[in-house]
Amino acid sequence: MDEQEVQRKRRDNEEQATERRARILGFPYLDTREFENNIDLTRGLLDISEMHQNYIIPLQDGGGEDHYQFMVTSQTPRSVIDNMRQEYSDKGERIDFFLISHSAYQVFMLRYDPPKTVHYDDIKISDEGDSETIASVSNTLNSVSTEKVFDFLLDQADKLGASDIHIENLRNEIRIRMRVDGILHPVANIDKNHYRVFMGELSSRANVSTASNKPQSGHMQTEIHRNGATHLLNIRVETIPTMYGQDAVLRLFNFDETLLKLDLLGLKEKEMKEISEIISHPRGLVLMVGPTGSGKSTTLYSIINALNTTERKIITLEDPIEYGITGISQIPINTNSGGSFAEGLRSVLRLDPDVVMVGEIRDADTAKTAIQASITGHLVLSSFHANSTSAAFSRMIDLIGTNPIFASSIRLIIAQRLVRKLSDSKEAYAPDEATMNYLRKELDGVEGIDWDNLVLYRPVPTEDNPFGYKGRTVIMEQLVVTEDIQSFIRGDIEDIHTEAIEKAAKKNGMLTLTQKGLLAAISGETSLEEVSRVI
């Protein structure tokens, strides 16, 4: 039975109940379904507020006959009906009342008093001290109905390109901040009396408890409609109890499968060639390293998407699944409830996959299982927490020890950061002597730099772009595992530390994250200050 049929049957039952009620109350019953949407409305007899308060609607005015008709419901106070009868009788006019169903009453009231279409101004991100903008947005959010406030926030965050919405309980208010291009911006302060209904709406959508005294994870989805197109927004919700209430962070994943492509990441030709060559092999281990929010997941998914053909069996183990990709078997691993990547990986290897992505290597068991899989005919992709590619090797050796099998399995480690891109309003300037000395020291041995004409760029804020940056770009350090690097992993070299591994990698042509960032600053993609902030 479809939804329309269900609604029709429900209305039938309500009208039958109303007809029985009319006989009990001594009113004539009126079934309005044939005319409730097209009858001319009678205006002026009652105020809209009276109609809402007393559940009464004029049906017909007196015209030349001094005969008035009103529709009432079972909720209309009897005193109101008696008073109106007396009032019209005193004037020598006739008045009749008809009992209608509550659904009929609501249909008429939607015509008498249609809901107003409210236009809320777009949110604008502000500077730290911009109290005027914050006050304006705060007033908007305090006026948006609770059930719509999240739709409004999510739509605006998506429009701004925000990656996170932070909802934070302060002593007397709720602070809303959004992370745009990696920077947190204050957006609004909501009245504290909205807290219960605000968190109630979030909990019902994300399936988290408002009464929990432990951190929780949830998930919600919404469709964003903009400029005639629709896209799906996946939201991870993380809550944690604080001194004044539950704080929440909503992590937004603007999912568009067509955008998960390596050539859309802005990689240089050399970087793209190295990645393509490594992942074209049927086996090996590829690690992505970097802090939270550095774009590791997007790069991993883009590699997966590049490998996604009908000839390959691809399985992912994720906690949680951030993007759903057609043609790939994606398995959620709930590590909070006792699940483990190592156990999941051992299980899926029995399914004979060609490519496996493990969300994160967090322990020695997962690391050893991933390494074992990568030398037995599987391409294994995973993420790992480390600051750089060299530091990742040091951490992995600390985790599992020097290991000849690891040496033969690991093929590539990628470390990356996201830096804000300068907008077109950027301004060129000549660096001072101290800056030039710093650049020469860090970029010693890097070819292709015109030191005599070197300029840097600074952001220039505009009315449309108050920060002078627009979007972000990837800064990527790629360490291809050569024989020299393998000697560290096998234990051939006793002095195993990050600096020694990085020195060997640079000797083989690797550019570090710092060097890549400085080259991006020299080329005008970003500013030196942004490179210093991120890297």
Side-chain angles (χ1 to χ4, degrees), residues 327-487:
I328 291 175
S329 300
Q330 296 175 267
I331 301 172
I333 301 293
N334 191 345
T335 54
N336 292 328
S337 300
S340 76
F341 283 117
E343 184 180 337
L345 181 54
R346 281 191 287 268
S347 297
V348 302
L349 290 177
R350 302 186 192 109
L351 303 178
D352 190 31
D354 298 294
V355 182
V356 181
M357 186 185 91
V358 181
E360 186 181 344
I361 292 178
R362 300 175 182 172
D363 53 57
D365 192 15
T366 306
K368 290 175 181 177
T369 308
I371 290 166
Q372 189 66 39
S374 66
I375 62 170
T376 54
H378 307 88
L379 178 63
V380 180
L381 312 172
S382 188
S383 67
F384 188 60
H385 273 289
N387 286 328
S388 66
T389 56
S390 305
F393 272 116
S394 296
R395 277 207 63 213
M396 187 64 79
I397 292 169
D398 289 341
L399 196 63
I400 63 172
T402 53
N403 191 316
I405 298 177
F406 179 41
S408 62
S409 67
I410 184 74
R411 302 291 307 282
L412 173 69
I413 296 187
I414 301 171
Q416 71 175 51
R417 301 289 190 277
L418 294 174
V419 295
R420 291 182 293 173
K421 290 193 296 185
L422 288 166
S423 62
D424 293 338
S425 62
K426 64 188 177 185
E427 177 184 66
Y429 68 96
D432 57 28
E433 185 178 351
T435 303
M436 282 295 291
N437 290 337
Y438 166 72
L439 292 173
R440 286 182 182 276
K441 178 184 175 183
E442 291 293 335
L443 296 173
D444 182 37
V446 178
E447 299 178 356
I449 301 174
D450 184 359
W451 292 104
D452 294 331
N453 300 301
L454 187 143
V455 293
L456 296 174
Y457 297 82
R458 60 170 66 98
V460 177
T462 63
E463 186 175 342
D464 293 335
N465 193 339
F467 301 99
Y469 294 95
K470 186 68 174 178
R472 289 190 288 179
T473 189
V474 173
I475 302 297
M476 188 175 283
E477 172 184 298
Q478 292 182 186
L479 196 162
V480 178
V481 180
T482 60
E483 185 66 30
D484 291 344
I485 303 300
Q486 285 182 348
S487 60

Side-chain angles (χ1 to χ4, degrees), residues 253-265 295-308 318 322-326 328 330:
F253 299 94
N254 182 349
F255 177 64
D256 185 342
E257 195 172 323
T258 62
L259 298 181
L260 295 175
K261 294 181 179 178
L262 284 171
D263 54 2
L264 295 180
L265 296 179
K296 299 191 302 293
S297 294
T298 300
T299 300
L300 276 174
Y301 275 107
S302 297
I303 293 174
I304 286 287
N305 224 14
L307 294 168
N308 189 10
E318 305 174 60
E322 294 177 357
Y323 302 105
I325 301 180
T326 307
I328 291 175
Q330 296 175 267

